[in-house]
Amino acid sequence: MRAVDAIRARFHASAHIPAPLAGDADHALAGDVPVPAAVLVAITDRPEPGLLLTRRNEALRKHPGQIAFAGGRADPTDTGPVDTALREACEEIGMPRDLVSVIGCDAPYRTITNFSIVPVVAVVPPDLPLVPLEFEVADIFEVPLAHVLDPANQIQAEAEFRGSMRRFYEIMWQDRRIWGATAAMIVNLSRRIGA
């Protein structure tokens, strides 16, 4: 059995999924309505699968230089989270929609910036000639899936935000710091597929 087939089977066979990290709803401003969004959690089809991530452009006003999945806010014309994730991944990194095999949607994650993000988990061919949308994406890279899904590499940290302490996860890989919502969605996937 291919590694990605085993991941697909575990994703759908999870009868007792541990409660996912829900996000930062408790830090949102009162009355804020979350903005729908989706990201593509693209797993590369290799004997040892990888996970595609981006580094946001340093010139961006929000979250400059941070590690993220390709994705973003839903458009009114999107038919749902899968459509949003595929459209955004095509726009941001040139991911061909017809080469994405969707496994399913994981639990939504609420961010401090008031987005309700649906992670769309999918398998993609390895070594695609992806091209970053320079205004938004500075770099596209692949991390070993086993590394980021390993709970030993998912470190809890905390920082003060709006007068109270906020806990979050961070995952280091080489010189890259994956943290916040991206790390939390990886932790949720790890818990779901029992990595």
Side-chain angles (χ1 to χ4, degrees):
M1 176 184 284
R2 290 175 22 228
V4 293
D5 291 333
I7 291 167
R8 187 184 304 270
R10 288 197 309 269
F11 186 91
H12 290 293
S14 303
H16 302 288
I17 301 169
L21 303 171
D24 297 302
D26 53 337
H27 293 285
L29 297 174
D32 282 353
V33 176
V35 177
V39 295
L40 185 65
V41 181
I43 299 169
T44 55
D45 189 356
R46 302 183 187 279
E48 297 294 329
L51 185 66
L52 291 179
L53 292 167
T54 69
R55 183 172 54 83
R56 291 171 56 82
N57 191 309
E58 294 286 350
L60 290 172
R61 190 169 54 88
K62 294 184 179 179
H63 311 294
Q66 288 188 5
I67 306 299
F69 293 111
R73 106 177 31 227
D75 277 354
T77 57
D78 292 340
T79 59
V82 171
D83 196 31
T84 299
L86 294 179
R87 177 186 52 74
E88 285 280 338
C90 182
E91 291 173 5
E92 288 183 10
I93 62 173
M95 176 66 71
R97 291 174 72 116
D98 60 330
L99 295 182
V100 178
S101 175
V102 174
I103 293 175
C105 295
D106 210 354
Y109 186 84
R110 177 87 176 265
T111 68
I112 279 181
T113 52
N114 204 37
F115 286 90
S116 179
I117 303 174
V118 175
V120 177
V121 181
V123 175
V124 300
D127 305 315
L128 289 172
L130 302 173
V131 179
L133 179 64
E134 288 183 29
F135 170 73
E136 290 187 36
V137 178
D139 188 24
I140 304 166
F141 62 97
E142 185 175 341
V143 298
L145 186 65
H147 177 84
V148 295
L149 293 185
D150 185 345
N153 296 324
Q154 301 165 354
I155 308 303
Q156 268 203 324
E158 64 180 17
E160 187 174 339
F161 181 76
R162 293 182 182 160
S164 63
M165 295 306 289
R166 174 181 173 248
R167 291 181 175 265
F168 58 92
Y169 279 91
E170 59 184 8
I171 303 166
M172 295 301 299
W173 182 73
Q174 296 181 351
D175 62 343
R176 301 181 192 265
R177 178 182 181 232
I178 306 161
W179 70 285
T182 303
M185 288 183 273
I186 291 171
V187 169
N188 281 346
L189 179 63
S190 173
R191 291 176 176 182
R192 178 167 188 149
I193 65 176

